[in-house]
Amino acid sequence: FLHAAGALTASAVAPRAAWAQAAPLRILCPTTPGSIPDTIARRYAEQLGPRYAGGVIVENRPGAAGQIAIGALKQAAPDGATVLLAAGAIATVYPYLYAKLGYDPAADLKPVAVAAEATLALAVGPAVPDNVRSLGEFIAWARGNATLANFGSPGAGTLPHMVSALLFRQAKIDAQHVAYAGGPPAIVDLLGGRLACLALPEGLLRPHHAAGKLRVLATSGAARSAFMPDVPTFVEQGHPKLAIREWFGFFLPGAASPAVLGNASQALRAAAENKALGTVLGDMGMLANAGTPAATSERIATEQRYWREVVATTGIRLE
């Protein structure tokens, strides 16, 4: 986030210097406009924009499980003028899930902050009989209707995909996975009866649940969601391994200096603490939670251990 050439040669820099950039800040987003990462990136851009004379640009680079956007980050100068906003899965899940990656998370991605996090929710639509009202009932229905028990996700390897895949794997059901370019088109097919179930951050599913168009059967937090307290968790319903929260983070190029990292962290914490951002994310069922680079790196290391074990024990792999 420091782009004034030669302006920063030490890690201790006055806060105002971090805001006084003539060049624009570019936020790379690996998903399509309207997706959750895109929305988060644009809400942060609104908060960061006044601090950059050149403004803030959100650049969508969807495709290849985030690798197109990560490739652009790798090619960018490590001066803080380019940052990636992506699901934490690019650093925690993908290294174990994909047989080949075009990047090294440890070398190419420098974690800056958690931008936002959310509980996932699993919903069923009109493809599933209306009397199916619990996770146990849904699993029983899926066992008896294997050809109909498909599930959608906003992309192969995403956390929603993995949560659903783990659920069906634990239930010993061979369900078909249907990948979409983001959550909104998957919701359309769930509402239209072309999908049996779909896991997504709960904010995307909550309005349809409240309107009675979809039934949210479980949420993925360790405790019930404050946004949907009437819905039991996976843990409550006998699936303790599915206490998983989705998060989205900011990453700098791997070669970014401590000075660049420190000022990027400072800028993002200031944005995350803005009440307006908290309100917008809250309406999406998400929490702003910037934290520190060290805390973000620690979270990645913890989740890597979990996903390494999951992939090893389940055998789930993607090309």
Side-chain angles (χ1 to χ4, degrees):
F1 282 42
L2 307 174
H3 192 53
L8 297 164
T9 57
S11 60
V13 181
R16 187 172 298 278
W19 309 142
Q21 277 194 194
L25 171 67
R26 182 172 63 142
I27 302 177
L28 299 170
C29 179
T31 56
T32 56
S35 62
I36 284 184
D38 173 77
T39 303
I40 295 170
R42 294 180 189 281
R43 298 295 81 81
Y44 269 88
E46 290 170 357
Q47 299 303 318
L48 294 168
R51 307 181 189 276
Y52 291 84
V56 180
I57 300 169
V58 176
E59 188 175 307
N60 298 91
R61 294 286 194 96
Q67 295 193 61
I68 293 175
I70 294 171
L73 184 74
K74 288 171 60 178
Q75 294 173 3
D79 56 7
T82 302
V83 66
L84 171 72
L85 183 283
I90 65 169
T92 62
V93 183
Y94 292 4
Y96 310 105
L97 185 64
Y98 283 93
K100 295 180 181 179
L101 278 181
Y103 63 94
D104 178 350
D108 298 327
L109 302 173
K110 182 152 287 186
V112 184
V114 174
E117 61 181 305
T119 299
L120 295 174
L122 181 81
V124 298
V128 178
D130 189 61
N131 62 345
V132 174
R133 294 282 164 171
S134 71
L135 189 61
E137 291 172 347
F138 172 66
I139 290 173
W141 173 84
R143 282 185 178 135
N145 297 270
T147 59
L148 302 177
N150 59 356
F151 67 97
S153 82
T158 60
L159 219 59
H161 170 214
M162 294 303 292
V163 165
S164 298
L166 284 171
L167 175 67
F168 282 111
R169 184 65 62 95
Q170 290 170 5
K172 296 180 172 56
I173 299 171
D174 185 17
Q176 180 186 2
H177 171 229
V178 184
Y180 292 81
I187 292 175
V188 171
D189 276 3
L190 185 66
L191 289 167
R194 290 176 288 278
L195 282 178
C197 73
L198 174 66
L200 284 175
E202 61 178 330
L204 289 176
L205 297 171
R206 185 176 61 192
H208 303 291
H209 174 76
K213 296 179 180 179
L214 299 175
R215 286 156 279 155
V216 173
L217 303 183
T219 55
S220 70
R224 291 198 183 196
S225 166
F227 298 107
M228 303 181 75
D230 59 315
V231 178
T233 65
F234 285 109
V235 175
E236 287 179 80
Q237 299 180 80
H239 297 274
K241 290 283 190 180
L242 296 182
I244 300 167
R245 285 177 66 81
E246 173 88 288
W247 63 273
F248 302 87
F250 283 101
F251 300 85
L252 284 166
S257 69
V260 169
L261 178 63
N263 282 271
S265 173
Q266 180 189 63
L268 290 169
R269 283 203 307 273
E273 290 168 359
N274 186 286
K275 291 183 178 179
L277 179 64
T279 298
V280 170
L281 292 180
D283 290 342
M284 296 168 59
M286 307 191 78
L287 299 174
N289 179 20
T292 64
T296 307
S297 295
E298 182 178 351
R299 181 170 189 166
I300 288 172
T302 299
E303 294 188 11
Q304 282 179 339
R305 290 191 290 271
Y306 172 82
W307 289 109
R308 185 188 301 118
E309 179 185 352
V310 166
V311 172
T313 57
T314 63
I316 299 173
R317 295 282 282 174
L318 296 175
E319 294 297 327

